[in-house]
Amino acid sequence: MQRDTEETLRLVLARLDDMKAEDTTTIDLRGKSAIADFMVVTSGRSNRHVGSVADRVLEELHKAGVRQVRIEGTPLCDWVLIDAGDVIVHVFRPEVRTFYNLEKMWVGTGAGARRAS
């Protein structure tokens, strides 16, 4: 794993914690998928909270010099996806997260998951 990936993951997790994101899970995709090294799945309490969490993560990634960050889902803020290259972040409202259940899909492939403390 590249040092940049580790730093990006730490930055994302720190901002999620700062913004009081809930039930954060990190899924290790290394060797299991070419799309990224890590996927982070978390929840916000409302559409406004989801949008605020995503905005803060995006702002910090830009400040840290992470280039070509892409974001989807901000108009409704039910599910916001932030693609930071080797780290992908999904910020959901709880009901939407339960419906899509990404953790089950990825952990079922043998990818390792760990909850944030």
Side-chain angles (χ1 to χ4, degrees):
M1 174 172 41
Q2 297 176 356
R3 182 168 164 76
D4 291 338
T5 302
E6 289 179 16
E7 290 171 4
T8 301
L9 180 62
R10 276 195 300 272
L11 176 105
V12 164
L13 293 174
R15 293 306 70 83
L16 293 175
D17 187 53
D18 289 348
M19 292 299 295
K20 306 291 190 243
E22 299 175 346
D23 199 23
T24 301
T25 301
T26 303
I27 302 170
D28 187 346
L29 300 176
R30 292 173 292 176
K32 291 147 186 90
S33 175
I35 64 169
D37 287 340
F38 293 98
M39 180 182 298
V40 179
V41 182
T42 195
S43 297
R45 294 178 299 280
S46 65
N47 296 71
R48 184 176 294 197
H49 188 219
V50 168
S52 295
V53 168
D55 286 345
R56 179 68 186 272
V57 170
L58 186 63
E59 178 183 309
E60 291 299 315
L61 288 168
H62 284 293
K63 280 185 189 175
V66 179
R67 302 286 177 236
Q68 298 180 349
V69 177
R70 291 168 299 281
I71 187 166
E72 297 287 335
T74 52
L76 298 177
C77 294
D78 284 331
W79 173 6
V80 177
L81 178 138
I82 302 168
D83 182 350
D86 288 332
V87 179
I88 296 175
V89 183
H90 297 274
V91 186
F92 287 99
R93 277 189 315 108
E95 313 79 58
V96 178
R97 182 177 181 172
T98 299
F99 180 79
Y100 287 102
N101 203 0
L102 289 183
E103 295 98 324
K104 183 177 180 184
M105 180 175 70
W106 282 99
V107 173
T109 66
R114 65 180 185 263
R115 296 258 182 220
S117 50

